[in-house]
Amino acid sequence: MQLNTIKPAKGSKHAKRRVGRGIGSGLGKTAGRGHKGQKSRSGGYHKVGFEGGQMPLQRRLPKRGFKSHLLKYNAEITLGELQALDVTDVDVLVLKQIGLIPQIAKVVKVIKSGELSKKISLKGIGATAGAKAAIEAAGGSLGE
């Protein structure tokens, strides 16, 4: 095999359909566009979502809710994950190094999911009311 003998696979290439080239081609006169109307004209089309002047669906429906762009900076950690850690003093940097929270996270909060039986002190980490009670019950502390 040489570079000058390489050809595309059989059936992978086909001639482009040439429309508007006479009656004999089968695609003459209207060139597959039908008769009259906006879609038959050159440059005649409409924007996405246009409904012929009727109020479009995206404008008929009410706007609802929003997604905060700050959410990506928030992270949460469970009591069960804290229990599995082998450190007693926990802060945001430690959690990032271990890989429990993403590097982009700025605000971390402990949620009450799982059990905590060992003493852990948190620094710069928030907690829900239930999680706070569980941490304090285990002898830990939340130093803000």
Side-chain angles (χ1 to χ4, degrees), residues 71-76 92 96 101-108:
L71 275 178
K72 62 184 174 188
Y73 300 112
N74 296 349
E76 54 186 39
V92 177
K96 284 182 182 178
I101 62 171
Q103 292 295 325
I104 197 172
K106 292 179 182 172
V107 179
V108 181

Side-chain angles (χ1 to χ4, degrees), residues 87-132:
V87 288
T88 52
D89 292 337
V90 179
D91 62 353
V92 177
L93 196 63
V94 169
L95 293 175
K96 284 182 182 178
Q97 286 169 345
I98 293 168
L100 276 176
I101 62 171
Q103 292 295 325
I104 197 172
K106 292 179 182 172
V107 179
V108 181
K109 200 169 197 180
V110 180
I111 57 172
K112 187 182 179 218
S113 175
E115 297 294 319
L116 182 69
S117 57
K118 64 181 190 179
K119 184 178 173 182
I120 284 182
S121 71
L122 302 175
K123 290 181 182 66
I125 296 174
T128 61
K132 187 176 180 183

Side-chain angles (χ1 to χ4, degrees), residues 128-143:
T128 61
K132 187 176 180 183
I135 290 165
E136 287 168 352
S141 65
L142 277 122

Side-chain angles (χ1 to χ4, degrees), residues 47-51 53-61:
K47 63 184 180 207
V48 174
F50 185 69
E51 297 183 22
Q54 171 177 300
M55 189 60 67
L57 183 69
Q58 74 270 20
R59 290 193 56 201
R60 288 198 302 260
L61 297 175

Side-chain angles (χ1 to χ4, degrees), residues 15-85:
K16 195 171 186 313
R17 180 173 290 166
R18 296 184 72 221
V19 297
R21 292 295 180 274
I23 284 174
S25 70
L27 287 164
K29 197 183 170 221
T30 54
R33 286 171 171 261
H35 292 282
K36 297 187 182 173
Q38 188 178 23
K39 291 202 272 186
S40 73
R41 321 254 184 232
S42 70
Y45 220 72
H46 52 77
K47 63 184 180 207
V48 174
F50 185 69
E51 297 183 22
Q54 171 177 300
M55 189 60 67
L57 183 69
Q58 74 270 20
R59 290 193 56 201
R60 288 198 302 260
L61 297 175
K63 293 195 281 188
R64 195 187 140 116
F66 91 113
K67 186 168 181 175
S68 172
H69 65 282
L70 299 172
L71 275 178
K72 62 184 174 188
Y73 300 112
N74 296 349
E76 54 186 39
I77 183 170
T78 63
L79 289 174
E81 289 170 334
L82 283 177
Q83 176 71 29
L85 292 179

